Amino acid sequence: MWKNVGYYNGEIGALEEMKVPMGDRALYFGDGIYEATCAANRIPFAIEDHLDRMYNSLRLMEIPFQMDRSQVRAELQKVLDAAEDAPIHFLYWQISRGVAPRNHVFPEAEVKPTLMAYVRPHTMKPLEKPYKLISMEDIRFRLCNIKTLNLIPSVLANQRAAEAGCDEAVLHRGSRVTECAHSNISILKDGVLRTAPTDELILPGITRKHLLALAKEHDIPTLEEPFSMVELMNADEIIVTSSSALCMQVESIDHIPVGGKDQTRLKILQNAYLEKFQRETAG
Ligand code: PLP
């Protein structure tokens, strides 16, 4: 058992001591995809949704990964089971196109994709502490629907947010809000939950999908249509969603106070999400 567990192609050990081969294409090109979720009682939350998206990302990237769902699930469970007890674990895994001499074109067919994973203890952000955001132009490429390892614009955006004392960066293309650097964003306005549609400009977040479903269950109408920065600033509530933080309220953007005008619906959604997480990861 280790506090932080690392995994690479079947090998398991202390995360701090694991090494990867220099030829892994993830290192040179970010040529791979990833997934992440939280686990409680060593049960990874919404694992089937994450596996669906993982296989979709692999298909879009043309990565010939051969393991089936039950094998992947079993390998990930081994990593979780090797972790010391913690109330919540964070489970991350990625698949790269494999280990081969550096060359932009795909390697020979016999090169097998690599599976890498880690598990660490995780602390969820308290739901009652709202996020502060900064806004930035979305300079990412047009493959945002694929969960690729190419994350440089998001890294830079989150660094700018941290420097400004904020939690996340909300991105916009012109006036159109897309998503945040590592989360989706939705608004409540006049009782309707609105979020951008799942096109190539955003990652189809699992938490976003669940939030829409929970809103419908609680008679909150939903709308999957883009909204502008002006609409964002004037929203009744702003909700940022991700697997690592669930649904966070937003209290400011660029240090200007926002939201706070529909606490009833916000709390219904936040509590429903937390209950779903707890129910589906109960030991
Ligand atoms: N959007 C981006 C760009 C992300 O990187 C993430 C999570 O990593 C999300 C949205 C949220 O997705 P999920 O709810 O599946 O964690």
Side-chain angles (χ1 to χ4, degrees), residues 34-36 50 53 140 144 147 151 154 179-184 203-208 241-244:
Y34 74 106
E35 281 297 332
H50 286 277
R53 187 172 62 189
R140 299 172 306 162
C144 295
K147 204 162 166 60
L151 295 173
S154 303
E179 58 179 336
C180 293
H182 62 271
S183 325
N184 293 111
L203 183 82
I206 308 295
T207 323
R208 170 195 176 281
T241 56
S242 71
S243 297
S244 60

Side-chain angles (χ1 to χ4, degrees), residues 36-52:
T37 187
C38 289
N41 301 305
R42 295 171 206 280
I43 300 169
F45 178 62
I47 188 69
E48 298 306 328
D49 287 317
H50 286 277
L51 291 173
D52 285 345

Side-chain angles (χ1 to χ4, degrees), residues 51-83:
L51 291 173
D52 285 345
R53 187 172 62 189
M54 179 194 91
Y55 282 111
N56 194 48
S57 295
L58 288 166
R59 181 180 60 79
L60 294 168
M61 293 270 284
E62 301 172 47
I63 294 179
F65 185 61
Q66 296 302 328
M67 269 193 201
D68 67 23
R69 293 174 88 91
S70 59
Q71 287 173 298
V72 177
R73 233 187 279 116
E75 292 304 288
L76 296 176
Q77 196 62 50
K78 282 185 205 164
V79 192
L80 274 168
D81 291 346

